[in-house]
Amino acid sequence: MTTTGYSILRNPFLNKGTAFSVAEREQLGLTGTLPSQVQTIEEQAEQAYKQFQAKSPLLEKRIFLMNLFNENVTLFYHLMDQHVSEFMPIVYDPIVAESIEQYNEIYTNPQNAAFLSIDHPENIESTLKNVADGRDIKLVVVTDAEGILGMGDWGVNGVDIAVGKLMVYTAAAGIDPATVLPVSIDAGTNNKKLLENPLYLGNKHERIAGEKYLEFIDKFVTAEQKLFPESLLHWEDFGRSNAQVILDKYKDSIATFNDDIQGTGMIVLAGIFGALHISKEKLVDQRFLTFGAGTAGMGIVNQIFSELKQAGLSDAEARNHFYLVDKQGLLFDDTEDLTEAQKPFTRSRKEFVNSEQLDNLEAVVNEIHPTVLIGTSTQPGTFTEAIVKSMAQSTERPIIFPLSNPTKLAEATAENLIKWTDGKALIATGIPADNVTYKGVTYKIGQGNNALIYPGLGFGLVASTAKLLTQETISSAIHALGGLVDADEPGAAVLPPVSNLTEFSQKIAEITAQSVVKQGLNREKIDDPKQAVQDAKWAAEY
Ligand SMILES: NC(=O)c1ccc[n+]([C@@H]2O[C@H](COP(=O)([O-])OP(=O)(O)OC[C@H]3O[C@@H](n4cnc5c(N)ncnc54)[C@H](O)[C@@H]3O)[C@@H](O)[C@H]2O)c1
Ligand SMILES: O=C(O)C[C@H](O)C(=O)O
Ligand SMILES: [Mn+2]
């Protein structure tokens, strides 16, 4: 890394722009390369925020922020720190979805990401080295973009989700942005619109699957671990057929997790705990209906299942609490095309006199009277008034989480859920939702998005130099977050607000690090895990 003259101004990790002092300018060969006034970071942030405010629509605001990030990482995070609730939906979900859809049209910069092509496995290692550029990488977010949010296959465009997830890591938990690496695995795409787009920047062929794909993944993991042996590997938005397979292959040998499976399972269980805190009910008394039993849906089911077993239930007793509804309707043991993850949680037709009729959500809700309804189906508007009212008739405080992202795919809006249940529903939504005022009460809506938990979890693992992520650690992080709601306030949210993101991410990181050290899973010697988290924390100051 050259660190003088224009090369320092062009290095976003080192650049301070007009904040370089006169002495620094002399020392670094920058004299005369900048206007003469030396600014503080506060002055720079104020100026940048005014420019940000002048932009519209939100996608333009996002482009402005990305440009700022590409020029001066410290200033970007300093500003984000001041406006975290306002920036989250722009840097991350839902506006990240728009930038992914328009990636080729608005492309200006590779965003420090590594682009790995399935056609060139021989370049994996050199690519990772080129992009790391001598930096000590501690965290990698990788996507192959086969299942971007609920929008399907977006090929190389999906790299923006890896970039966005990493921005949330730093803003929420304080991981040093110079130690992170977004990775796009370009395995081709089955998105016809992209293949026909002359501007498409990725590999212009169909997605490669099967052996060749899994071999490529394996080569990537090997190279990643060789080059960055102390790093955490975070998988994001892989397709339903690969996500669990990949996780199962690596989870017992390296520090890794899948955000859609585990992060989502964690945030949903924390949200359920928050809801039960309010309703004063118990987890073991709930009946769970998961609508959309894919990557996220089954991650959620498995997380709750594990918690029920911890509460003393046998496997069979715990399984009996779940009902999965997917495209085929209620999933039975004789349903066709079941995934491996679904199989242990199917029902028997013998339980019902009308099993043939249970091929749609409404019929299933009317039959089984769920107390918890989770939406990870990608099907907008499917939690209809009739379904929600039916649920509210048989349950005093129905827990209803429409989690599909982005905004246009949500199963219901918070406002409708409050209205249809006369304020009784305990709600979390995938994207941020405004407060709902109904009959004089202002209901705050928790954001049931894995972004509320993965930054603390991941940072805690990095700070404690964890070798592995265990169920024990996952469970302690969930309880840390689930206990943070103020249950007695009327209209209380089931999860803490995003405005407190940095505060509770810190707490989750500490609990995670403590759990790692307690299990002896730290690589380096750590006497005080809380202090280790504190020491690893990066601050957006020059
Ligand atoms: N809020 C969060 O933190 C969070 C986290 C992860 C995923 N999600 C959202 O959940 C959704 C699913 O993501 P995923 O990764 O599990 O995708 P996925 O493709 O693995 O799963 C989607 C499932 O929905 C099923 N489905 C499709 N159409 C259906 C229909 N008409 N009726 C019932 N089921 C149907 C599919 O068969 C599949 O099993 C996405 O919209 C995603 O954005 C939200
Ligand atoms: O990216 C998000 O907003 C959450 C989640 O990981 C998703 O895939 O929807
Ligand atoms: Mn995701």
Short mmCIF file of all heavy atoms in Angstrom, two decimals, residues 58 88-90 92-98 101 148-151 378-382 402-414 429-434 447 449:
data_model
loop_
_atom_site.label_atom_id
_atom_site.label_comp_id
_atom_site.label_asym_id
_atom_site.label_seq_id
_atom_site.Cartn_x
_atom_site.Cartn_y
_atom_site.Cartn_z
N LEU A 58 -34.73 8.15 -2.55
CA LEU A 58 -33.85 7.45 -1.63
C LEU A 58 -32.68 6.76 -2.33
O LEU A 58 -31.58 6.67 -1.79
CB LEU A 58 -34.65 6.43 -0.80
CG LEU A 58 -35.64 7.07 0.19
CD1 LEU A 58 -36.50 6.01 0.85
CD2 LEU A 58 -34.90 7.90 1.25
N MET A 88 -29.98 3.34 7.99
CA MET A 88 -30.13 1.87 7.87
C MET A 88 -30.97 1.46 6.66
O MET A 88 -30.54 0.63 5.87
CB MET A 88 -30.72 1.29 9.16
CG MET A 88 -29.71 1.00 10.24
SD MET A 88 -28.70 -0.43 9.89
CE MET A 88 -29.83 -1.76 10.27
N PRO A 89 -32.19 2.01 6.50
CA PRO A 89 -33.00 1.55 5.36
C PRO A 89 -32.45 1.98 4.00
O PRO A 89 -32.92 1.50 2.97
CB PRO A 89 -34.37 2.19 5.60
CG PRO A 89 -34.24 3.08 6.76
CD PRO A 89 -32.89 2.96 7.36
N ILE A 90 -31.45 2.86 3.99
CA ILE A 90 -30.90 3.34 2.71
C ILE A 90 -29.66 2.54 2.34
O ILE A 90 -29.50 2.06 1.21
CB ILE A 90 -30.57 4.85 2.84
CG1 ILE A 90 -31.87 5.63 3.06
CG2 ILE A 90 -29.82 5.35 1.62
CD1 ILE A 90 -31.67 7.07 3.39
N TYR A 92 -28.99 -0.28 3.66
CA TYR A 92 -29.37 -1.70 3.80
C TYR A 92 -30.80 -1.85 3.29
O TYR A 92 -31.28 -1.03 2.50
CB TYR A 92 -29.18 -2.03 5.30
CG TYR A 92 -29.52 -3.42 5.74
CD1 TYR A 92 -28.82 -4.52 5.25
CD2 TYR A 92 -30.52 -3.63 6.68
CE1 TYR A 92 -29.14 -5.80 5.69
CE2 TYR A 92 -30.83 -4.91 7.12
CZ TYR A 92 -30.15 -5.99 6.62
OH TYR A 92 -30.47 -7.25 7.05
N ASP A 93 -31.50 -2.86 3.75
CA ASP A 93 -32.86 -3.15 3.33
C ASP A 93 -33.83 -2.05 3.79
O ASP A 93 -33.73 -1.64 4.94
CB ASP A 93 -33.26 -4.49 3.99
CG ASP A 93 -34.35 -5.19 3.23
OD1 ASP A 93 -34.74 -4.72 2.17
OD2 ASP A 93 -34.82 -6.22 3.74
N PRO A 94 -34.75 -1.52 2.99
CA PRO A 94 -35.15 -2.01 1.67
C PRO A 94 -34.46 -1.37 0.46
O PRO A 94 -34.58 -1.90 -0.64
CB PRO A 94 -36.65 -1.67 1.64
CG PRO A 94 -36.78 -0.43 2.46
CD PRO A 94 -35.73 -0.54 3.53
N ILE A 95 -33.76 -0.22 0.61
CA ILE A 95 -33.25 0.45 -0.60
C ILE A 95 -32.11 -0.34 -1.26
O ILE A 95 -31.90 -0.23 -2.47
CB ILE A 95 -32.85 1.92 -0.29
CG1 ILE A 95 -34.06 2.70 0.25
CG2 ILE A 95 -32.32 2.63 -1.53
CD1 ILE A 95 -35.26 2.74 -0.69
N VAL A 96 -31.43 -1.18 -0.49
CA VAL A 96 -30.39 -2.01 -1.11
C VAL A 96 -31.01 -2.87 -2.22
O VAL A 96 -30.36 -3.18 -3.23
CB VAL A 96 -29.66 -2.89 -0.06
CG1 VAL A 96 -30.55 -3.98 0.51
CG2 VAL A 96 -28.39 -3.49 -0.63
N ALA A 97 -32.28 -3.21 -2.07
CA ALA A 97 -32.96 -4.04 -3.09
C ALA A 97 -33.05 -3.27 -4.41
O ALA A 97 -32.83 -3.84 -5.49
CB ALA A 97 -34.36 -4.43 -2.60
N GLU A 98 -33.34 -1.99 -4.34
CA GLU A 98 -33.41 -1.18 -5.57
C GLU A 98 -32.04 -1.08 -6.22
O GLU A 98 -31.91 -1.11 -7.44
CB GLU A 98 -33.89 0.24 -5.25
CG GLU A 98 -35.38 0.33 -5.03
CD GLU A 98 -35.81 1.77 -4.75
OE1 GLU A 98 -35.26 2.70 -5.37
OE2 GLU A 98 -36.70 1.93 -3.90
N GLU A 101 -31.33 -4.27 -8.04
CA GLU A 101 -32.08 -4.38 -9.30
C GLU A 101 -31.48 -3.50 -10.40
O GLU A 101 -31.56 -3.81 -11.57
CB GLU A 101 -33.55 -4.01 -9.06
CG GLU A 101 -34.30 -5.08 -8.30
CD GLU A 101 -35.70 -4.67 -7.86
OE1 GLU A 101 -35.98 -3.46 -7.69
OE2 GLU A 101 -36.54 -5.56 -7.67
N ILE A 148 -31.62 -13.51 -3.39
CA ILE A 148 -31.47 -12.17 -2.82
C ILE A 148 -32.77 -11.76 -2.15
O ILE A 148 -33.81 -11.66 -2.83
CB ILE A 148 -31.08 -11.16 -3.92
CG1 ILE A 148 -29.63 -11.37 -4.35
CG2 ILE A 148 -31.30 -9.72 -3.47
CD1 ILE A 148 -28.58 -11.01 -3.31
N LEU A 149 -32.75 -11.54 -0.83
CA LEU A 149 -33.97 -11.26 -0.07
C LEU A 149 -35.02 -12.25 -0.59
O LEU A 149 -34.75 -13.43 -0.67
CB LEU A 149 -34.38 -9.80 -0.24
CG LEU A 149 -33.27 -8.75 -0.03
CD1 LEU A 149 -33.76 -7.36 -0.37
CD2 LEU A 149 -32.76 -8.78 1.39
N GLY A 150 -36.21 -11.75 -0.96
CA GLY A 150 -37.19 -12.67 -1.55
C GLY A 150 -37.30 -12.48 -3.05
O GLY A 150 -38.28 -12.90 -3.67
N MET A 151 -36.27 -11.83 -3.66
CA MET A 151 -36.38 -11.44 -5.07
C MET A 151 -35.73 -12.41 -6.04
O MET A 151 -35.65 -12.13 -7.24
CB MET A 151 -35.74 -10.06 -5.28
CG MET A 151 -36.20 -8.99 -4.30
SD MET A 151 -35.59 -7.35 -4.73
CE MET A 151 -33.84 -7.63 -4.91
N THR A 378 -42.15 -14.95 0.70
CA THR A 378 -41.96 -14.06 -0.45
C THR A 378 -43.28 -13.72 -1.14
O THR A 378 -43.27 -13.20 -2.25
CB THR A 378 -40.97 -14.63 -1.51
OG1 THR A 378 -41.62 -15.66 -2.24
CG2 THR A 378 -39.70 -15.16 -0.90
N GLN A 379 -44.42 -14.01 -0.50
CA GLN A 379 -45.73 -13.80 -1.16
C GLN A 379 -46.47 -12.64 -0.50
O GLN A 379 -47.01 -12.78 0.60
CB GLN A 379 -46.57 -15.08 -1.07
CG GLN A 379 -45.92 -16.29 -1.72
CD GLN A 379 -45.63 -16.08 -3.19
OE1 GLN A 379 -46.50 -15.71 -3.98
NE2 GLN A 379 -44.37 -16.29 -3.57
N PRO A 380 -46.51 -11.49 -1.19
CA PRO A 380 -47.09 -10.29 -0.57
C PRO A 380 -48.59 -10.40 -0.30
O PRO A 380 -49.33 -11.04 -1.06
CB PRO A 380 -46.83 -9.19 -1.61
CG PRO A 380 -46.56 -9.90 -2.90
CD PRO A 380 -45.99 -11.23 -2.55
N GLY A 381 -49.02 -9.80 0.79
CA GLY A 381 -50.45 -9.70 1.09
C GLY A 381 -51.12 -11.00 1.47
O GLY A 381 -52.36 -11.07 1.56
N THR A 382 -50.37 -12.04 1.73
CA THR A 382 -50.98 -13.36 1.97
C THR A 382 -51.54 -13.52 3.38
O THR A 382 -52.30 -14.44 3.64
CB THR A 382 -49.97 -14.49 1.69
OG1 THR A 382 -48.70 -14.07 2.19
CG2 THR A 382 -49.86 -14.77 0.21
N PRO A 402 -44.80 -10.84 9.74
CA PRO A 402 -44.63 -10.89 8.28
C PRO A 402 -43.21 -10.44 7.94
O PRO A 402 -42.90 -9.26 8.02
CB PRO A 402 -45.67 -9.88 7.77
CG PRO A 402 -45.92 -8.95 8.92
CD PRO A 402 -45.47 -9.61 10.19
N LEU A 403 -42.33 -11.38 7.57
CA LEU A 403 -40.90 -11.06 7.51
C LEU A 403 -40.34 -10.95 6.10
O LEU A 403 -39.17 -10.63 5.93
CB LEU A 403 -40.12 -12.14 8.27
CG LEU A 403 -40.43 -12.24 9.76
CD1 LEU A 403 -39.63 -13.37 10.39
CD2 LEU A 403 -40.14 -10.93 10.48
N SER A 404 -41.16 -11.24 5.08
CA SER A 404 -40.58 -11.24 3.74
C SER A 404 -40.15 -9.85 3.32
O SER A 404 -40.88 -8.88 3.50
CB SER A 404 -41.55 -11.86 2.72
OG SER A 404 -41.60 -13.25 2.92
N ASN A 405 -38.97 -9.78 2.71
CA ASN A 405 -38.36 -8.53 2.24
C ASN A 405 -38.18 -8.59 0.73
O ASN A 405 -38.11 -9.68 0.17
CB ASN A 405 -36.96 -8.37 2.87
CG ASN A 405 -37.03 -8.18 4.36
OD1 ASN A 405 -37.91 -7.53 4.88
ND2 ASN A 405 -36.07 -8.78 5.06
N PRO A 406 -38.04 -7.43 0.06
CA PRO A 406 -38.19 -6.09 0.63
C PRO A 406 -39.67 -5.72 0.79
O PRO A 406 -40.53 -6.61 0.71
CB PRO A 406 -37.47 -5.20 -0.39
CG PRO A 406 -37.67 -5.91 -1.69
CD PRO A 406 -37.69 -7.39 -1.37
N THR A 407 -39.93 -4.43 0.96
CA THR A 407 -41.26 -3.92 1.29
C THR A 407 -42.36 -4.54 0.43
O THR A 407 -43.40 -4.95 0.95
CB THR A 407 -41.26 -2.38 1.07
OG1 THR A 407 -40.01 -1.88 1.53
CG2 THR A 407 -42.40 -1.73 1.81
N LYS A 408 -42.12 -4.62 -0.86
CA LYS A 408 -43.18 -5.06 -1.77
C LYS A 408 -43.55 -6.54 -1.59
O LYS A 408 -44.54 -7.00 -2.17
CB LYS A 408 -42.79 -4.78 -3.23
CG LYS A 408 -41.54 -5.50 -3.69
CD LYS A 408 -41.13 -5.08 -5.10
CE LYS A 408 -39.80 -5.71 -5.47
NZ LYS A 408 -39.14 -5.12 -6.62
N LEU A 409 -42.77 -7.29 -0.83
CA LEU A 409 -43.06 -8.72 -0.65
C LEU A 409 -43.65 -9.07 0.72
O LEU A 409 -43.97 -10.24 0.97
CB LEU A 409 -41.79 -9.55 -0.88
CG LEU A 409 -41.16 -9.42 -2.28
CD1 LEU A 409 -39.93 -10.33 -2.40
CD2 LEU A 409 -42.17 -9.75 -3.38
N ALA A 410 -43.83 -8.10 1.59
CA ALA A 410 -44.30 -8.40 2.96
C ALA A 410 -45.69 -9.05 2.94
O ALA A 410 -46.57 -8.64 2.17
CB ALA A 410 -44.33 -7.11 3.78
N GLU A 411 -45.89 -10.03 3.81
CA GLU A 411 -47.15 -10.77 3.88
C GLU A 411 -48.29 -9.89 4.39
O GLU A 411 -49.47 -10.19 4.14
CB GLU A 411 -47.01 -12.00 4.79
CG GLU A 411 -46.23 -13.18 4.19
CD GLU A 411 -44.72 -13.04 4.35
OE1 GLU A 411 -44.26 -12.05 4.93
OE2 GLU A 411 -44.00 -13.96 3.88
N ALA A 412 -47.96 -8.82 5.14
CA ALA A 412 -48.99 -7.89 5.63
C ALA A 412 -48.27 -6.63 6.12
O ALA A 412 -47.06 -6.65 6.35
CB ALA A 412 -49.77 -8.51 6.79
N THR A 413 -49.03 -5.56 6.29
CA THR A 413 -48.44 -4.36 6.90
C THR A 413 -48.79 -4.36 8.39
O THR A 413 -49.81 -4.91 8.80
CB THR A 413 -49.00 -3.07 6.28
OG1 THR A 413 -50.42 -3.01 6.55
CG2 THR A 413 -48.76 -3.02 4.78
N ALA A 414 -47.95 -3.70 9.17
CA ALA A 414 -48.18 -3.61 10.61
C ALA A 414 -49.52 -2.89 10.87
O ALA A 414 -50.29 -3.29 11.76
CB ALA A 414 -47.03 -2.85 11.26
N THR A 429 -41.85 -6.81 11.82
CA THR A 429 -41.83 -6.79 10.36
C THR A 429 -40.38 -6.88 9.87
O THR A 429 -39.46 -6.49 10.60
CB THR A 429 -42.44 -5.49 9.82
OG1 THR A 429 -41.82 -4.38 10.47
CG2 THR A 429 -43.93 -5.43 10.06
N GLY A 430 -40.18 -7.36 8.64
CA GLY A 430 -38.83 -7.51 8.11
C GLY A 430 -38.13 -6.18 7.88
O GLY A 430 -36.96 -6.01 8.19
N ILE A 431 -38.88 -5.23 7.33
CA ILE A 431 -38.30 -3.90 7.08
C ILE A 431 -38.84 -2.93 8.15
O ILE A 431 -39.82 -3.24 8.83
CB ILE A 431 -38.64 -3.38 5.66
CG1 ILE A 431 -40.05 -3.81 5.24
CG2 ILE A 431 -37.64 -3.84 4.64
CD1 ILE A 431 -41.06 -2.80 5.37
N PRO A 432 -38.21 -1.77 8.29
CA PRO A 432 -38.69 -0.85 9.34
C PRO A 432 -40.14 -0.43 9.08
O PRO A 432 -40.53 -0.21 7.94
CB PRO A 432 -37.77 0.37 9.18
CG PRO A 432 -36.65 -0.05 8.31
CD PRO A 432 -37.09 -1.23 7.52
N ALA A 433 -40.95 -0.36 10.16
CA ALA A 433 -42.34 0.08 10.03
C ALA A 433 -42.58 1.26 10.97
O ALA A 433 -42.07 1.29 12.09
CB ALA A 433 -43.29 -1.06 10.38
N ASP A 434 -43.35 2.22 10.49
CA ASP A 434 -43.70 3.37 11.33
C ASP A 434 -44.58 2.93 12.50
O ASP A 434 -45.25 1.89 12.42
CB ASP A 434 -44.48 4.40 10.51
CG ASP A 434 -43.59 5.08 9.47
OD1 ASP A 434 -42.35 5.07 9.67
OD2 ASP A 434 -44.12 5.59 8.47
N GLN A 447 -38.47 -4.32 14.48
CA GLN A 447 -37.97 -4.80 13.20
C GLN A 447 -37.39 -6.19 13.36
O GLN A 447 -36.34 -6.37 13.98
CB GLN A 447 -36.95 -3.84 12.60
CG GLN A 447 -36.67 -4.20 11.14
CD GLN A 447 -35.62 -3.32 10.47
OE1 GLN A 447 -35.17 -2.33 11.03
NE2 GLN A 447 -35.23 -3.69 9.27
N ASN A 449 -35.59 -8.23 11.81
CA ASN A 449 -34.61 -8.39 10.73
C ASN A 449 -33.31 -8.87 11.37
O ASN A 449 -32.91 -8.35 12.43
CB ASN A 449 -34.39 -7.04 10.01
CG ASN A 449 -33.58 -7.21 8.74
OD1 ASN A 449 -32.45 -7.65 8.78
ND2 ASN A 449 -34.17 -6.86 7.61
#
